[in-house]
């Protein structure tokens, strides 16, 4: 008995020792991972801090206000680049430049609300047919950051003209859906939802969400001006504010009626001319998560499930196009189109990270944010710079060496996620 008891005692001590050793190893690995993540975050912040001023430009030529440009390959003022870059650099002093970028677009718009998506000091560029509907929300975010809402009041007419352009020229009256001029205008240059030559035909969740946010932002401006601007029109602005809020609700109705696929559990695109859905699995399948008021709880759960499937969710972020799609590739190309058929793009990944956090999917939000920051840190370590997009299977930077645009969103991402701050939130 004594020998047997001694063996049991020895065995128990051995197991205990192994458990303690295992715990120590786990704690050590956790510390290393935390240290590595902290280092990655510091690397990204240092890079942004060093180069931030290089994308902030003083007024020049036809650009009468300060503005933002993407660093590296691009030197022009672009619609969603300036919005995303301005948000990403808010703690680095970008607010006046974000405001100025939006003011430049508003000031250069025509009487009937048309404005190209790319401006240069010498004038508009025709490379993007029309600016994406992000200008008013960009202005609202800038106004919140500066505390100056009145600076945009002189361009009230231009704001409303731009929104009326979308109502008049881009709305399919039968469905209530809004359409892109072409896929290039959407910013996702070759996303497999339409052929490059297809025009004024395809609606997708991005244009609907952007316009929903534009209508709400203009409604918020009207309400704010009514209280801050001494005008006999203040009461009418309050009434108009409600009108634009109701127009936003109409977008919600059309989005869910025509773009939500109940069987698939995610959003699809829709060809309003052919009257048929376009079901390719692309990053837009869950894009309305950005504005939770567009969705019910069942939709939210199903969208998160679809977004985190292996064909979309990778170690480096979310793919632009599903790995199951016949067009899927990670080719490094920028001319004539940048590649949205597989690579990871920072802008929509950051939007998803903030959306997941806002919706209470904290672990997924932190995981995605960590992967974005690690991706950017790895690019700096390997190539010493950043790129426009990334290989979704290796994390390799693909094109546009020196790109400094929406990737600056990585600088504040983890900090904001930890502190539950969403810089894109409108109200």
């Amino acid at each position: 008995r004594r020998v047997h008891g001694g063996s049991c005692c020895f065995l128990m001590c051995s197991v205990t020792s192994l458990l303690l050793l295992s715990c120590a190893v786990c704690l050590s690995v956790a510390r290393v991972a935390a240290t590595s993540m902290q280092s990655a975050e510091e690397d990204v912040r240092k890079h942004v801090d060093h180069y931030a001023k290089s994308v902030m430009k003083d007024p020049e030529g036809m650009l009468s206000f300060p503005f933002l440009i993407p660093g590296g390959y691009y030197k022009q003022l672009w619609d969603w680049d300036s919005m995303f870059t301005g948000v990403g650099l808010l703690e680095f002093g970008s607010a006046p430049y974000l405001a100025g970028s939006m003011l430049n677009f508003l000031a250069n718009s025509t009487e009937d609300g048309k404005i190209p998506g790319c401006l240069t000091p010498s004038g508009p560029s025709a490379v993007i047919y029309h600016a994406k509907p992000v200008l008013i929300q960009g202005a609202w975010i800038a106004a919140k950051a500066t505390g100056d809402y009145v600076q945009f009041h002189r361009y009230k007419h231009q704001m409303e003209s731009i929104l009326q352009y979308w109502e008049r020229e881009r709305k399919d009256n039968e469905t209530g859906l809004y359409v892109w001029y072409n896929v290039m205008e959407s910013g996702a240059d070759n996303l497999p939802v339409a052929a490059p030559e297809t025009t004024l035909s395809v609606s997708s969740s991005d244009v609907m969400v952007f316009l929903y946010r534009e209508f709400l932002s203009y409604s918020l401006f009207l309400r704010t001006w009514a209280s801050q601007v001494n005008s006999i029109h203040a009461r009418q602005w309050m009434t108009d504010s409600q009108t634009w809020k109701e127009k936003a609700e109409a977008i919600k109705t059309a989005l869910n009626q025509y773009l939500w696929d109940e069987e698939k559990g995610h959003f699809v695109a829709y060809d309003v001319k052919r009257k048929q859905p376009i079901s390719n699995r692309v990053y837009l399948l869950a894009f309305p998560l950005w504005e939770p008021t567009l969705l019910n709880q069942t939709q939210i759960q199903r969208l998160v499930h679809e977004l985190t499937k292996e064909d979309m969710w990778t170690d480096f972020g979310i793919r632009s196009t599903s790995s199951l799609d016949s067009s899927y590739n990670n080719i490094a190309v920028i001319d004539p189109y940048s590649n949205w058929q597989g690579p990871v793009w920072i802008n929509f990944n950051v939007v998803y990270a903030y959306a997941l956090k806002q919706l209470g999917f904290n672990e997924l939000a932190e995981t995605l944010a960590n992967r974005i920051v690690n991706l950017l840190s790895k690019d700096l370590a390997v190539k010493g710079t950043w790129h426009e997009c990334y290989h979704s299977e290796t994390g390799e930077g693909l094109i546009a060496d020196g790109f400094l645009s929406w990737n600056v969103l990585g600088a504040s991402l983890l900090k904001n996620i930890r502190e539950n701050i969403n810089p894109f939130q409108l109200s």
Side-chain angles (χ1 to χ4, degrees):
R1 276 196 198 108
R2 283 195 299 272
V3 173
H4 185 263
S7 298
C8 288
C9 182
F10 175 77
L11 181 61
M12 290 176 66
C13 289
S14 298
V15 170
T16 301
S17 296
L18 286 171
L19 287 172
L20 289 172
L21 179 60
S22 177
C23 288
V25 170
C26 288
L27 286 171
S28 178
V29 170
R31 289 194 192 100
V32 170
T35 302
S36 176
M37 194 62 248
Q38 184 179 1
S39 176
E41 184 177 9
E42 289 174 355
D43 290 343
V44 169
R45 288 185 64 84
K46 286 178 182 177
H47 185 73
V48 171
D49 188 44
H50 183 75
Y51 288 102
K53 295 298 182 184
S54 68
V55 302
M56 302 178 189
K57 300 299 181 181
D58 293 329
E60 181 181 351
M62 291 187 67
L63 301 178
S64 305
F65 301 92
F67 60 100
L68 294 160
I69 65 166
Y73 184 86
Y74 303 97
K75 303 297 182 186
Q76 307 88 356
L77 170 61
W78 298 81
D79 46 21
W80 70 343
D81 289 75
S82 56
M83 194 267 284
F84 283 124
T85 304
V87 172
L89 293 178
L90 282 174
E91 68 171 288
F92 298 89
S94 68
Y97 297 88
L98 173 58
S101 295
M102 301 302 105
L103 287 167
N104 279 315
F105 278 107
L106 294 171
N108 281 280
S109 63
T110 63
E111 184 64 27
D112 58 354
K114 294 178 182 177
I115 178 66
C118 177
L119 300 178
T120 72
S122 58
S125 164
V127 66
I128 302 294
Y129 185 82
H130 195 279
K132 283 172 275 299
V134 298
L135 306 179
I136 301 175
Q137 60 196 279
W140 177 256
I141 293 169
K144 283 175 61 181
T146 60
D148 184 0
Y149 300 87
V150 179
Q151 64 179 315
F152 292 100
H153 178 254
R154 62 184 289 198
Y155 291 102
K156 174 186 176 296
H157 175 72
Q158 286 83 347
M159 285 187 181
E160 191 151 326
S161 294
I162 290 171
L163 294 183
Q164 288 172 344
Y165 165 83
W166 284 94
E167 291 269 276
R168 182 182 67 252
E169 304 289 340
R170 301 300 188 87
K171 185 178 181 179
D172 177 62
N173 291 325
E174 182 177 336
T175 61
L177 294 172
Y178 296 81
V179 298
W180 291 114
Y181 179 77
N182 55 20
V183 71
M184 187 76 171
E185 181 186 72
S186 78
D189 301 6
N190 64 348
L191 198 70
V193 295
E197 64 273 12
T198 302
T199 59
L200 298 173
S201 181
V202 175
S203 179
S204 47
S205 63
D206 50 354
V207 68
M208 299 297 281
V209 173
F210 286 147
L211 279 167
Y212 180 78
R213 288 172 56 87
E214 290 289 273
F215 287 5
L216 289 181
S217 295
Y218 187 54
S219 174
L220 289 166
F221 264 124
L222 288 168
R223 184 174 294 274
T224 304
W225 291 332
S227 64
Q228 293 189 2
V229 178
N230 185 17
S231 171
I232 59 173
H233 302 295
R235 182 173 294 181
Q236 183 60 49
W237 294 343
M238 290 295 290
T239 301
D240 292 345
S241 173
Q242 183 60 32
T243 299
W244 285 101
K245 190 174 181 181
E246 290 169 2
K247 287 179 180 289
E249 284 299 305
I251 290 177
K252 175 180 178 178
T253 300
L255 171 77
N256 283 293
Q257 183 174 350
Y258 292 98
L259 301 189
W260 171 253
D261 190 311
E262 179 65 24
E263 182 179 346
K264 296 181 184 301
H266 63 75
F267 287 92
V268 297
Y270 189 85
D271 189 320
V272 300
K273 291 181 179 177
R274 298 181 180 181
K275 303 186 188 310
Q276 61 185 31
I278 304 165
S279 300
N280 301 63
R281 282 175 63 84
V282 297
Y283 77 96
L284 298 176
L285 63 83
F287 202 65
L289 288 173
W290 196 8
E291 282 297 329
T293 52
L294 289 167
L295 308 166
N296 60 46
Q297 286 302 312
T298 300
Q299 285 178 305
I300 289 170
Q301 294 293 333
R302 295 185 71 185
L303 288 172
V304 172
H305 174 70
E306 292 298 322
L307 191 66
T308 53
K309 285 184 174 179
E310 287 186 3
D311 65 312
M312 297 300 296
W313 189 266
T314 80
D315 290 340
F316 308 104
I318 299 164
R319 290 185 172 98
S320 49
T321 295
S322 164
S323 60
L324 301 176
D325 194 274
S326 60
S327 67
Y328 172 72
N329 71 84
N330 283 280
I331 298 171
V333 60
I334 199 169
D335 188 21
Y337 308 109
S338 294
N339 189 4
W340 289 76
Q341 297 181 350
V344 170
W345 290 75
I346 300 299
N347 54 350
F348 71 79
N349 270 272
V350 170
V351 165
Y352 274 126
Y354 281 123
L356 289 167
K357 179 65 177 179
Q358 184 177 348
L359 289 163
F361 296 92
N362 295 336
E363 186 174 344
L364 286 176
E366 290 165 11
T367 297
L368 183 56
N370 283 333
R371 290 178 181 180
I372 294 166
V373 172
N374 271 324
L375 182 66
L376 293 170
S377 176
K378 176 187 173 184
D379 199 15
L380 292 177
V382 174
K383 296 189 176 180
T385 189
W386 281 341
H387 295 80
E388 192 176 48
C389 60
Y390 294 87
H391 197 295
S392 64
E393 295 174 16
T394 67
E396 177 190 3
L398 293 180
I399 49 173
D401 288 11
F403 187 68
L404 198 74
S405 177
W406 46 60
N407 40 19
V408 301
L409 287 161
S412 303
L413 178 59
L414 286 171
K415 175 177 175 287
N416 285 341
I417 292 290
R418 286 191 299 266
E419 297 177 4
N420 201 26
I421 296 171
N422 183 353
F424 290 104
Q425 199 162 358
L426 298 179
S427 61

